[in-house]
Amino acid sequence: MSNYRIQGATGEWEVVIGLEVHAQITSNAKLFSGASTAFGSEPNTNVSLVDAAMPGMLPVPNAECVKQAVRTGLAIDAQIHRWSRFDRKNYFYADLPQGYQISQLYHPIVGEGSLTVETDEGEKVIGVERIHIEQDAGKLMHDQHPTMSYVDLNRCGVALMEIVSKPDMRSPAEAGAYMKKLRAILRYVGSCDGNMEQGSMRADVNVSVRKPGAEFGTRTETKNVNSVRFIQQVVEYEARRQVDVIEEGGTIVQETRLFDPDKGVTRSMRSKEDAHDYRYFPDPDLLPLVLTEDFVEECKASLPELPDAKRQRYVDALGITPYNADVITSDVETARWFEALLAAGAEAKAGANWLTSELFGALNRLGKDIGQSPVSPEQAAQLLGLVADGTLSGSLAKQVFEIMLETGDDPARIVEEKGLKQTSDTGAIEAAIAEILSANADKVDQYKDGKEALFGFFVGQTMKAMAGKANPKVVNELLKKALS
Amino acid sequence: MAGITDLGIASIRDGFRAGDFSAREVADAFNTAVAGAKALNAFIVETPDHAIAAAEQADRDRSEGTLKPLSGVPIGMKDLFATRGVQTTAASHILEGFKPEYESTVSARLWAAGAGMLGKLNMDQFAMGSSNETSAFGNVISPWRRNDGGNAPLAPGGSSGGSSSAIAARIVPGATGTDTGGSIRQPAAFTGISGIKPTYGRCSRWGIVAFASSLDQAGPMARDVKDCAILLEAMSGFDPKDSTSLDLPVPNWETGLSGDLRGKRIGIPKEYRVDGMPGEIDALWEKGIAWVKDAGAEVVEVSLPHTKYALPAYYIIAPAEASSNLARYDGVRYGLRELPEGAGLQDMYAATRAAGFGAEVKRRILIGTYVLSAGFYDAYYTQAQKVRTLIARDFDAAWELCDLLLTPTAPSAAFALGEKSADPLAMYLNDVFTVPSSLAGLPAMSVPAGLDGQGLPLGLQVIGKALDEQGVLNAGLAIEERAGFTARPEAWW
Amino acid sequence: MIAARAMSVDSATVRRIASLARIATSDAEVEAMVPELNNILGWIEQLGEVDTSAVQPMTAVIANTLRLRDDVVTDGDIRDRVLANAPAAEHGFFGVPKVIE
Ligand SMILES: [Mg+2]
Ligand SMILES: [Zn+2]
């Protein structure tokens, strides 16, 4: 249970959060038309006559969108409704050519499920109320013309999943963790690319406050919040605002609000008195959606290993530390990269350590994500192999890795060309040691008198003389012998 | 070429094939007839060039031996069907000037079958009406007149009133219609022609301006049953662009035509004997019963206990769907835009829709909006859809006892224009016999069966089981063969 | 049993639904519509007599299931056709009176 509390004049308050996440379903074509879903096209080019709601146009649903919603539901252990239906949500707006959004109010395709989030206060299960399929709206642009807004219908009709959580979250951290976990699952499943900047995922944040344990308070809904950080800011701001309103004797109005990311505040949207009478009814152009057992089984069979299961397996079967397992499994691309690394022959624990420290450090520095890594998993596996077989020392490996990052070359070739191979040639090392000991006879005496810290000095000198390529283990052994 | 316009679809097709005349001669004859019948106001747009182009193609096809099923046949197209490059308005001011960049599936099928288009036929606005008095392009006048010498202009029925008027006046040999609650059958009955509404899903709705999606069905209107069968074959068929389209082969209805009803049981629903129905209609119904018996059918009385509730259920479901289907007429992407000085987006919507929609359309949008609005949805809409289930069950129960149903098509003969337009409810009652089968999605047709005392046509309706268009057409044919309906209006236009 | 039974619409209700339906109405039109709509609504309310407690609302007129299509781009790239009938189209967009969000 969360300990997050808002301190008010009348005591402590608890915040109650529910998220309605709109996630764009990954598909080539739109939910009810054959127009493309490509991002960033010229205005109104990804628009069919159906999307423009020409008279007499009819919707035909895209099987892939249905499948992806079902797979998503299965991934959160939700009920899959074998019988669902599309309803019309009626309202007038310029981004909605039909005058209604085709959505699922009464009979959604996916029912109750849940997902588990990690917070500083431990694991918590957050309930999901439902997932339904619906159409996205078009886009209005207000800045191009002094007296007109421009309408672009490219997004209009793109398939969305609306994933509605239960009001189970009690802190900004939980809301953030839920959003991250949901995003991770969607990306694993492949039902949404999770790209929040492009609007592929955005949340309506429902917030209310109450005295701990009391009845739910009246909630506000802040629309279309498109980053985890903003979601947390909305929760913080709204919770504080609502406590202040209530404590000053006011009441919370159930309303929709907008988040201003520049100011970090929410504000009420101009509310129309009839804004909430959507006159939902079953879309008479579409028959009920009936899923066969085979269809659901196929969806089930097509699911990949999901993050929780994968993390557990990494810890139990591969012996990876829970921390590393968590980091690697938290995003599907990292997990995929890591598994490619293992497939290329890297040892699991060393690979996990290297990935979470060396590779992540480098990518951070370069401002790249793992998909843009200049080093491939195969090259990384080679590099780790060269360390494992003693060809490279840890520090040589770091040097080679830097060169790999810059040139994209294979590690073996770099080692070869730059002569970075470490040596275990005892003759050469013994010669170097002999020279160093004779040149530093005074230190040898001090060492023998008990100043053992000087051993490091001799190692350093030897490595320097060997231009860093001596096998440190061999150097250690030979030095100990020479000094004994 | 006097004479050609007296021919129906089959005769034109066959005469053209036999070389009796060229397709061009047919097109010219009908184009001339259309141009000479402005007084009927049956057309919103005339398209003589379309008819001529199709005819010239047909003539080439004939010489090359590549005839199509409707080669040489020109028809009228109800203005509810989107026709590429040709104004399509649904008889509403809100779509005035709209030239679709697409062709409806049904019209495309007809053109692909070789037919040509004489023009876009007038109709009740958005197919809402039973008298063709709601068109923004003026009333259609029936070619029929009462025999009282009063020359009162009569309603051709609605909503496919342009189609019925034009066919009855012999200015087109056949036409498309659409039927939501009776809009093919009632105008057919009013004008002494035939028309069939097939099973819901037989004809694609793609490209037909939607009125009430769960009810709308296209169908043919023509002079006789055989012509209807021929046109219906060309119009029907699976369309992947319509989710409610039936993925079934189209039977060869023309070949299957037979007026022999031996082995068929025909049900007479007792609830269709409504109060206040003219005795002449009752008498005609009795004649119909005798005719089908004569054709070999066994006649049984059946009960459709929820008949009385069909009309009120329809007047919830159809306006509800319409209120949503017509939301797209908002002045943004096509059609009329009314932009009062200083108006914002929502004001523009309200002004555009106020100026663009006619009174009946507004009335139905408001009813539909009301019955779907918060707090009323279950009491009205859900209840209506439940009653609809009961109405469909009534038919299912009747099919245990019979194969087809025989009823009058409408409770009266054609009325004079203006006679009922002041009372929407009285107008709605016109559809009392046609609406139940629409709610159940069943095939049904009207065939002319006789004249009333005023010399006006009356129709009988045959209703069949889902997908049994053949049974419906055959019973229609049996009646047609025995009714000997040859009356036609005298040309006054 | 019908909750709406015996309810009748007044001019405020007519105004509200006209506004929901985005149809501008004059006072005179509203006043004319009140009895008209009440007449029709009063008539359709006879449906309340029917006992439907054990009945499911109709979902498909003719037994048929929803067909799904393949996820293939088959449409779009027809901007000229999409905009061809627009009362105001500029730079590839539909134009509407400026909206303040
Ligand atoms: Mg929401
Ligand atoms: Zn939504």
Side-chain angles (χ1 to χ4, degrees):
Chain A
M1 282 300 103
S2 172
N3 300 318
Y4 184 82
R5 292 289 182 271
I6 298 107
Q7 296 302 325
T10 60
E12 289 192 331
W13 294 77
E14 184 180 45
V15 63
V16 175
I17 308 147
L19 294 181
E20 293 164 27
V21 176
H22 284 97
Q24 180 180 333
I25 299 177
T26 302
S27 65
N28 300 314
K30 291 182 180 181
L31 179 53
F32 293 115
S33 87
S36 165
T37 60
F39 183 81
S41 305
E42 284 292 296
N44 290 309
T45 53
N46 295 343
V47 179
S48 74
L49 300 168
V50 175
D51 305 317
M54 292 288 162
M57 294 298 98
L58 297 171
V60 182
N62 182 336
E64 179 68 11
C65 301
V66 172
K67 189 172 151 196
Q68 292 292 26
V70 170
R71 293 175 76 244
T72 304
L74 291 167
I76 57 162
D77 290 321
Q79 296 165 272
I80 305 302
H81 293 150
R82 302 300 191 267
W83 193 98
S84 68
R85 199 179 64 191
F86 291 100
D87 301 304
R88 291 185 182 177
K89 178 183 185 179
N90 294 284
Y91 64 95
F92 287 89
Y93 203 60
D95 62 7
L96 188 73
Q98 296 169 130
Y100 53 85
Q101 178 196 34
I102 304 178
S103 181
Q104 297 186 306
L105 175 76
Y106 295 109
H107 297 277
I109 189 162
V110 177
E112 288 191 19
S114 67
L115 51 82
T116 305
V117 298
E118 292 274 355
T119 67
D120 293 344
E121 292 157 7
E123 279 194 348
K124 182 172 175 178
V125 176
I126 309 288
V128 169
E129 184 74 42
R130 58 186 281 156
I131 301 177
H132 66 253
I133 306 173
E134 63 184 25
Q135 302 174 295
D136 204 351
K139 228 181 150 161
L140 257 62
M141 265 140 288
H142 307 296
D143 311 323
Q144 267 95 331
H145 190 280
T147 61
M148 279 204 280
S149 292
Y150 283 155
V151 186
D152 174 12
L153 299 179
N154 278 349
R155 280 195 73 87
C156 186
V158 166
L160 303 177
M161 288 179 280
E162 182 170 333
I163 304 157
V164 182
S165 84
K166 296 193 172 177
D168 284 353
M169 289 157 274
R170 296 289 179 270
S171 69
E174 284 182 11
Y178 170 84
M179 192 67 180
K180 280 186 195 154
K181 187 59 173 283
L182 182 60
R183 181 173 180 274
I185 291 171
L186 297 183
R187 284 170 52 79
Y188 266 77
V189 169
S191 57
C192 172
D193 67 20
N195 191 329
M196 297 188 77
E197 282 118 73
Q198 287 182 6
S200 298
M201 251 185 116
R202 50 202 200 254
D204 296 344
V205 186
N206 288 289
V207 177
S208 64
V209 294
R210 63 176 179 184
K211 286 292 172 74
E215 296 281 292
F216 285 141
T218 304
R219 66 187 166 84
T220 61
E221 178 180 8
T222 304
K223 291 276 196 193
N224 283 330
V225 185
N226 67 352
S227 85
V228 171
R229 193 164 58 88
F230 292 162
I231 290 170
Q232 295 179 326
Q233 283 181 26
V234 165
V235 173
E236 281 165 31
Y237 180 85
E238 263 302 296
R240 182 78 252 168
R241 185 188 70 83
Q242 291 183 16
V243 166
D244 290 348
V245 167
I246 297 167
E247 291 192 330
E248 281 158 24
T251 45
I252 302 302
V253 217
Q254 185 167 342
E255 62 177 355
T256 47
R257 298 179 70 85
L258 271 184
F259 179 64
D260 181 340
D262 298 330
K263 301 198 181 88
V265 303
T266 69
R267 62 180 166 81
S268 181
M269 287 173 86
R270 290 180 315 139
S271 67
K272 281 249 184 289
E273 79 271 34
D274 58 26
H276 297 297
D277 199 344
Y278 292 124
R279 291 157 285 136
Y280 281 97
F281 77 111
D283 191 322
D285 285 329
L286 294 161
L287 295 151
L289 175 57
V290 179
L291 304 179
T292 62
E293 282 314 306
D294 283 356
F295 182 87
V296 177
E297 282 310 314
E298 262 172 53
C299 289
K300 207 173 272 174
S302 74
L303 280 183
E305 185 182 33
L306 294 164
D308 289 352
K310 199 181 279 290
R311 189 189 52 198
Q312 204 57 51
R313 178 169 65 84
Y314 283 2
V315 174
D316 294 348
L318 301 182
I320 294 170
T321 64
Y323 173 81
N324 278 350
D326 205 45
V327 170
I328 292 170
T329 58
S330 71
D331 183 72
V332 69
E333 271 207 74
T334 309
R336 266 194 214 124
W337 209 97
F338 178 65
E339 292 191 354
L341 183 69
L342 298 190
E347 191 273 323
K349 274 185 279 184
N353 284 332
W354 180 84
L355 187 149
T356 54
S357 54
E358 301 300 322
L359 181 64
F360 273 13
L363 292 174
N364 246 339
R365 243 170 31 229
L366 299 170
K368 293 187 170 174
D369 65 39
I370 198 155
Q372 306 161 308
S373 168
V375 172
S376 72
E378 292 71 26
Q379 290 175 318
Q382 278 180 28
L383 179 65
L384 290 167
L386 292 171
V387 175
D389 71 9
T391 308
L392 291 178
S393 64
S395 64
L396 273 179
K398 282 184 211 282
Q399 282 184 51
V400 172
F401 181 49
E402 286 305 323
I403 298 166
M404 289 167 75
L405 287 170
E406 261 169 50
T407 63
D409 283 347
D410 284 349
R413 184 167 153 196
I414 295 167
V415 167
E416 202 54 51
E417 282 180 358
K418 309 249 171 190
L420 290 173
K421 196 181 280 189
Q422 79 177 349
T423 180
S424 304
D425 177 345
T426 48
I429 296 169
E430 275 168 348
I433 287 173
E435 208 166 298
I436 285 157
L437 295 190
S438 69
N440 296 285
D442 51 336
K443 294 209 168 58
V444 174
D445 289 343
Q446 288 170 20
Y447 176 81
K448 286 182 173 165
D449 285 346
K451 201 168 175 193
E452 284 182 11
L454 279 168
F455 191 76
F457 166 77
F458 296 125
V459 172
Q461 289 297 307
T462 311
M463 292 303 279
K464 194 171 161 193
M466 294 295 296
K469 285 175 275 183
N471 182 329
K473 220 169 104 197
V474 178
V475 169
N476 269 330
E477 277 166 19
L478 294 178
L479 260 176
K480 282 216 173 100
K481 214 163 76 186
L483 287 165
S484 63
Chain B
M1 280 309 297
I4 282 188
T5 57
D6 291 327
L7 304 177
I9 304 281
S11 306
I12 293 170
R13 177 194 65 185
D14 298 343
F16 165 66
R17 288 184 180 193
D20 298 347
F21 37 73
S22 69
R24 179 62 199 254
E25 285 173 298
V26 176
D28 288 346
F30 280 103
N31 279 336
T32 305
V34 167
K38 306 259 191 243
L40 299 174
N41 198 29
F43 283 88
I44 295 174
V45 174
E46 293 169 17
T47 56
D49 293 346
H50 190 289
I52 288 169
E56 287 176 343
Q57 182 63 46
D59 285 331
R60 283 194 296 275
D61 286 347
R62 184 174 63 177
S63 62
E64 285 159 24
T66 53
L67 284 169
K68 303 189 186 88
L70 291 175
S71 287
V73 178
I75 58 166
M77 185 61 58
K78 188 177 182 179
D79 201 32
L80 206 60
F81 294 80
T83 43
R84 192 164 185 176
V86 177
Q87 178 183 268
T88 300
T89 65
S92 181
H93 182 44
I94 208 159
L95 275 174
E96 205 163 342
F98 174 60
K99 289 187 177 168
E101 290 286 322
Y102 51 97
E103 187 76 34
S104 81
T105 298
V106 164
S107 57
R109 280 179 182 276
L110 286 164
W111 313 148
M117 176 166 65
L118 294 162
K120 300 299 291 291
L121 291 158
N122 204 346
M123 52 180 283
D124 275 306
Q125 190 165 156
F126 283 104
M128 297 174 188
S130 305
S131 65
N132 221 118
E133 290 168 288
T134 72
S135 169
F137 299 90
N139 299 339
V140 175
I141 319 286
S142 171
W144 290 86
R145 283 175 167 177
R146 287 175 180 143
N147 56 15
D148 59 5
N151 292 345
L154 300 181
S159 65
S160 310
S163 307
S164 65
S165 176
I167 294 164
R170 269 69 172 169
I171 62 172
V172 303
T176 55
T178 62
D179 191 314
T180 303
S183 284
I184 286 176
R185 293 161 284 163
Q186 183 257 17
F190 274 21
T191 55
I193 64 163
S194 298
I196 179 167
K197 175 198 95 73
T199 308
Y200 181 82
R202 273 285 190 208
C203 289
S204 169
R205 293 183 296 113
W206 194 89
I208 301 176
V209 175
F211 163 15
S213 309
S214 74
L215 293 151
D216 295 346
Q217 257 303 287
M221 299 169 78
R223 297 251 301 279
D224 60 26
V225 173
K226 185 180 184 183
D227 286 0
C228 285
I230 294 168
L231 286 178
L232 185 60
E233 258 178 63
M235 293 166 71
S236 300
F238 174 61
D239 181 3
K241 292 187 287 192
D242 175 357
S243 299
T244 57
S245 170
L246 294 168
D247 191 357
L248 294 170
V250 177
N252 199 323
W253 289 305
E254 183 191 4
T255 312
L257 279 179
S258 158
D260 183 352
L261 301 183
R262 279 175 297 177
K264 293 283 177 196
R265 288 169 305 168
I266 294 193
I268 308 300
K270 63 178 185 197
E271 290 79 6
Y272 280 50
R273 297 189 190 278
V274 295
D275 292 343
M277 188 164 75
E280 284 171 306
I281 290 181
D282 221 9
L284 187 75
W285 195 4
E286 289 305 325
K287 273 192 192 168
I289 292 169
W291 291 331
V292 295
K293 279 183 183 163
D294 181 59
E298 183 194 335
V299 171
V300 294
E301 191 184 73
V302 297
S303 172
L304 301 169
H306 296 90
T307 298
K308 146 176 198 209
Y309 300 107
L311 216 43
Y314 174 85
Y315 275 95
I316 291 171
I317 293 163
E321 293 182 8
S323 71
S324 177
N325 282 337
L326 271 59
R328 64 189 56 198
Y329 305 102
D330 59 8
V332 175
R333 295 164 313 286
Y334 42 77
L336 182 73
R337 167 179 290 194
E338 280 286 309
L339 189 57
E341 182 70 36
L345 179 69
Q346 301 293 341
D347 304 324
M348 180 187 88
Y349 291 157
T352 298
R353 293 162 62 80
F357 291 138
E360 181 61 22
V361 174
K362 287 180 192 172
R363 190 177 294 126
R364 298 205 196 182
I365 290 176
L366 293 183
I367 291 170
T369 304
Y370 182 70
V371 299
L372 290 177
S373 66
F376 297 105
Y377 171 77
D378 279 326
Y380 287 114
Y381 188 80
T382 308
Q383 175 74 356
Q385 290 287 24
K386 287 179 172 178
V387 170
R388 193 175 181 183
T389 300
L390 291 172
I391 287 163
R393 280 191 200 164
D394 284 356
F395 281 107
D396 287 341
W399 302 139
E400 301 286 320
L401 304 171
C402 64
D403 306 301
L404 297 156
L405 294 164
L406 177 67
T407 79
T409 307
S412 75
F415 43 83
L417 292 171
E419 212 167 83
K420 295 194 179 180
S421 48
D423 182 358
L425 216 47
M427 190 68 90
Y428 296 173
L429 292 171
N430 253 287
D431 297 331
V432 63
F433 299 141
T434 49
V435 153
S437 46
S438 293
L439 288 171
L442 303 174
M445 94 174 291
S446 178
V447 288
L451 299 176
D452 73 354
Q454 298 184 304
L456 298 182
L458 297 171
L460 286 174
Q461 175 180 230
V462 180
I463 302 169
K465 297 174 190 169
L467 307 179
D468 189 22
E469 284 81 3
Q470 190 73 66
V472 171
L473 289 162
N474 287 354
L477 183 64
I479 294 167
E480 179 182 282
E481 284 168 353
R482 284 159 184 81
F485 186 90
T486 52
R488 55 183 286 183
E490 225 168 286
W492 52 261
W493 52 90
Chain C
M1 63 166 292
I2 229 173
R5 201 160 172 74
M7 284 253 212
S8 62
V9 299
D10 53 16
S11 51
T13 310
V14 172
R15 257 185 218 101
R16 185 177 60 81
I17 57 177
S19 145
L20 262 180
R22 296 297 184 275
I23 296 175
T25 45
S26 67
D27 288 350
E29 284 169 322
V30 169
E31 290 317 315
M33 267 186 264
V34 169
E36 237 173 54
L37 295 190
N38 275 321
N39 197 19
I40 296 166
L41 291 169
W43 170 70
I44 63 180
E45 276 169 14
Q46 63 179 293
L47 277 191
E49 298 163 21
V50 186
D51 179 4
T52 55
S53 48
V55 185
Q56 288 300 309
M58 181 178 273
T59 51
V61 189
I62 296 296
N64 197 356
T65 48
L66 184 58
R67 259 175 303 103
L68 305 176
R69 48 171 243 281
D70 290 340
D71 181 29
V72 183
V73 176
T74 55
D75 210 337
D77 250 331
I78 47 165
R79 181 159 77 188
D80 291 348
R81 289 170 64 194
V82 164
L83 297 175
N85 281 285
E90 280 186 23
H91 312 300
F93 296 95
F94 295 100
V96 295
K98 197 165 204 88
V99 177
I100 299 115
E101 279 182 320

